[in-house]
Amino acid sequence: MKIFYSKTKEEAGKKAAGSFAAVLKSKPDAVLGLATGSSPEPMYLSLAEMYNAGEVSFAKARSVNLDEYVGLSADHDQSYAYFMRKHLFDKVDIDLANTNLPNGLATDYAAECARYDALFDSFGGTDLQILGIGLNGHIGFNEPADEFTKGTNAVKLTESTVKANSRFFASESDVPTMAFSMGIGQIMRAKKIILLANGKAKADILETALFGKVTPSVPASILQFAADVEVYADEDALSVIIEKHGKDAVIY
Ligand code: F6R
């Protein structure tokens, strides 16, 4: 695992975009596992800038997003489908027909999970998986549990996650309480993983996940077993790692 230090989230996003673009350059039809939320926003911005400068193309890429809220249509401005169009898909040359997210309006949860699993398998897994980390250590919406999830699942979001996500909604009661999420088993099939984290609030959980016990009660801890993980984080998110493990724990 390589942990890259950046002073700011913008710098972290730029570095991560460089690594992301390198994957697309070496494999233009790469399968991209994408994430939403605040963490990848600066990286998507840098990727859009690189696309405008002719430095990267998504023309042949295929994407599978990690998750989607249950109950929100793709047109809802807080759906992850909407987020992806706003922050990446509408800004680059990706073919929308090659982009995939769970269908938030699906009412037969088991059928939707099976559909997404079959799609994932037809791609043979991802070449690159982008991740953020929840305050409780979740990746995708795989919340702390007794065991690691394997495939796509319909998850009941924890109170902490609903609270954290309420910043995007008019009130906490508007936040969906369920989501479809790729499983940890699927995340771990990625050939390469980029984990993004910014801000003081992520400092403790980032240290616990990357240096603590590997346990489903901290889902992101499984990343310690992944073959190729790059972490791009700002100074604040890395503060506890540097305090406990020294400056050599990170790459400047
Ligand atoms: C989003 C996702 C979540 C977020 C996590 C951190 O697709 O899968 O696991 O990455 O909740 O969210 P932010 O980046 O908003 O702090």
Side-chain angles (χ1 to χ4, degrees), residues 199-231:
K200 266 259 179 301
K202 298 285 174 74
D204 279 317
I205 191 62
L206 198 60
E207 193 275 335
T208 304
L210 304 187
F211 291 86
K213 250 177 39 181
V214 174
T215 161
S217 62
V218 183
S221 63
I222 192 81
L223 298 177
Q224 293 181 43
F225 292 161
D228 182 356
V229 181
E230 293 176 0
V231 181

Side-chain angles (χ1 to χ4, degrees), residues 32-67:
L32 307 169
L34 300 176
T36 57
S38 315
S39 307
E41 273 187 40
M43 182 188 71
Y44 291 149
L45 194 65
S46 290
L47 282 167
E49 285 168 4
M50 290 178 82
Y51 166 71
N52 288 332
E55 291 165 10
V56 68
S57 170
F58 290 73
K60 294 185 178 152
R62 296 157 292 162
S63 72
V64 269
N65 259 78
L66 275 172
D67 41 20

Side-chain angles (χ1 to χ4, degrees), residues 179-220:
F180 290 113
S181 178
M182 236 187 229
I184 297 281
Q186 291 168 315
I187 291 171
M188 288 296 282
R189 276 177 62 190
K191 295 199 179 82
K192 181 186 198 74
I193 294 175
I194 288 180
L195 173 67
L196 298 151
N198 302 308
K200 266 259 179 301
K202 298 285 174 74
D204 279 317
I205 191 62
L206 198 60
E207 193 275 335
T208 304
L210 304 187
F211 291 86
K213 250 177 39 181
V214 174
T215 161
S217 62
V218 183

Side-chain angles (χ1 to χ4, degrees), residues 235-248:
E235 185 174 39
D236 284 341
L238 291 173
S239 57
V240 175
I241 290 180
I242 293 171
E243 184 190 308
K244 289 198 177 165
H245 305 281
K247 292 199 160 197
D248 289 347

